[in-house]
Amino acid sequence: MTNLDPDLRTARPAAARLFVGTYAGGGGEGLYPLHRDADGGQWAMYAADEAAQNCSFGVYAERTGLHYLVDEDGGSVGVFRNGGGASEGWACLARIPAGGAAPCHIALDRSESWFAVANYAGGSIMLQRLDPQTGLPVDAPIVRANAGSGPNPDRQEAPHAHWVGFSPDNRWLYATDLGTDQVLAFAFDAGDGTLGPPIVAFDAPPGSGPRHVLLHPYRPGLAYLACELTSELILLDVAGPAFVARTMVSTLPAGAAAGSIVAHIAANAAGDRVYVSNRGDDSIAVFALDDRGEPRLMEHVASGGASPRFFLLLEDEKQMIVAHERDHRVTRLDIGPDGTLSPTDTGIVVPGAAFVLDARPRSRVEPPVG
């Protein structure tokens, strides 16, 4: 593993593509540029941009070229433009309250004219309109707070919103609540700016702690629910506000030690592989999806650090970049032709590592043919 060179603390690279969001409580000072050589084998970390603090999640708007980054400890959302040059860095164009404490997830609607935020502490979600020209927040936000609890007294003593996402037809806003074992659905009208009352779209198994939903990128009737507290992946059939469980599988290997919890979930560009990270077991579970979307476990691979909170798929380079929260490390796994993963010796210590951001300009990926 490569440690941070002290000489790089005050430097800034001529250009950087990857940035690591960090928690101040773990020693992070902001958003760290991560420079990699051509084959990704040698990494260097440069001085953090302090404008983006406690960035544990973010989204990019293709239409305006803006990034929307949560400040989890600060309870806010920042609107940023990445200059991409040696002196420009990240410019914060606006910062607004997230409508609750500990914002941990953010999503753009299909028109990129609204964003929604999940606030872990207090269990609220916020919906915010964006100016169609500038991409900046306008009008008063809409906030919805949930109520209830779950059977786990340590983690489910109150509502804990953990993920938000918009349906493919942009008619529904979905949210998971780890504290109440629910997936909620809100009727959404992007034109009128209305958000309906919450509907319980799915009652997850008691104590499962639903963390994130992965809406299948090309099959609008399918979704995958990652349950943090029980390390389970649930295949869901989706129709508007209704989620119906079809299959449930474990994300852990047989005989895994107790105490592991799920973190991130993502699919590849082809939509035929799903990856889930396990904190505690410190592994990535790889699932193949058949023609019906059913998940089949292919393998478990060591993530290369302790507590893999987030990973980023770089399929053009056949790499996965993993941020480990507990030992402040970012590592690289190689992606094989069949979507399986291989550990490498490449990595770097990043204090407070929580999130990895790909800042390159990009266009929406088209669905595969056939």
Side-chain angles (χ1 to χ4, degrees):
M1 296 295 175
T2 304
N3 291 317
L4 174 61
D5 185 338
D7 293 337
L8 300 179
R9 290 187 181 276
T10 58
R12 185 179 296 278
R17 170 182 170 183
L18 297 184
F19 293 82
V20 183
T22 60
Y23 286 127
E29 298 176 353
L31 201 60
Y32 288 87
L34 185 62
H35 174 77
R36 305 176 302 150
D37 61 17
D39 64 1
Q42 296 295 323
W43 289 0
M45 187 179 72
Y46 292 80
D49 194 315
E50 298 180 358
Q53 292 288 320
N54 300 297
C55 175
S56 60
F57 209 86
V59 289
Y60 173 75
E62 299 159 10
R63 182 170 56 83
T64 58
L66 299 180
H67 295 263
Y68 300 86
L69 309 178
V70 303
D71 179 341
E72 188 166 336
D73 285 0
S76 64
V77 176
V79 183
F80 290 85
R81 187 179 298 280
N82 176 31
S87 60
E88 296 180 55
W90 288 78
C92 184
L93 308 181
R95 193 183 303 275
I96 63 171
C104 59
H105 195 266
I106 185 169
L108 287 164
D109 85 312
R110 304 297 170 174
S111 67
E112 296 187 345
S113 57
W114 296 83
F115 69 68
V117 181
N119 295 298
Y120 182 82
S124 68
I125 66 164
M126 182 188 78
L127 182 66
Q128 175 66 57
R129 186 191 291 272
L130 301 172
D131 183 275
Q133 301 301 320
T134 66
L136 298 179
V138 292
D139 301 337
I142 301 171
V143 178
R144 296 279 189 270
N146 199 16
S149 59
N152 185 323
D154 295 326
R155 296 294 310 278
Q156 296 184 308
E157 79 295 344
H160 293 301
H162 217 311
W163 171 92
V164 284
F166 294 87
S167 63
D169 61 10
N170 218 37
R171 295 177 57 193
W172 298 94
L173 171 61
Y174 302 126
T176 62
D177 195 312
L178 183 148
T180 64
D181 292 319
Q182 293 173 323
V183 179
L184 302 176
F186 305 80
F188 169 63
D189 190 311
D192 293 342
T194 57
L195 191 68
I199 298 170
V200 178
F202 181 65
D203 282 310
S208 60
R211 180 181 173 94
H212 282 190
V213 169
L214 169 65
L215 300 170
H216 194 282
Y218 310 125
R219 303 178 68 175
L222 294 181
Y224 300 84
L225 175 63
C227 297
E228 177 171 335
L229 303 183
T230 55
S231 300
E232 291 170 323
L233 179 67
I234 304 176
L235 168 59
L236 301 168
D237 291 307
V238 184
F243 286 58
V244 179
R246 192 201 304 173
T247 304
M248 182 184 301
V249 296
S250 175
T251 68
L252 293 172
S260 187
I261 55 176
V262 155
H264 193 52
I265 179 172
N268 65 347
D272 60 3
R273 298 289 184 270
V274 166
Y275 302 88
V276 183
S277 64
N278 297 301
R279 293 175 290 177
D281 188 64
D282 298 335
S283 65
I284 309 293
V286 184
F287 295 90
L289 305 183
D290 67 15
D291 292 341
R292 299 182 62 248
E294 294 282 349
R296 174 182 60 84
L297 178 67
M298 298 181 72
E299 64 172 355
H300 292 92
V301 176
S303 61
S307 192
R309 185 186 186 279
F310 182 86
F311 58 83
L312 176 69
L313 294 170
L314 300 176
E315 292 189 70
D316 289 345
E317 290 119 310
K318 301 178 175 59
Q319 296 175 4
M320 174 187 283
I321 311 301
V322 189
H324 297 86
E325 183 178 357
R326 184 167 296 173
D327 62 355
H328 316 289
R329 181 170 295 159
V330 176
T331 63
R332 188 194 94 202
L333 305 180
D334 288 340
I335 304 175
D338 62 351
T340 57
L341 304 173
S342 299
T344 74
D345 292 330
T346 302
I348 190 167
V349 172
V350 181
F355 175 65
V356 184
L357 184 155
D358 184 352
R360 62 177 172 169
R362 54 201 181 274
S363 299
R364 184 173 283 113
V365 177
E366 294 300 321
V369 177

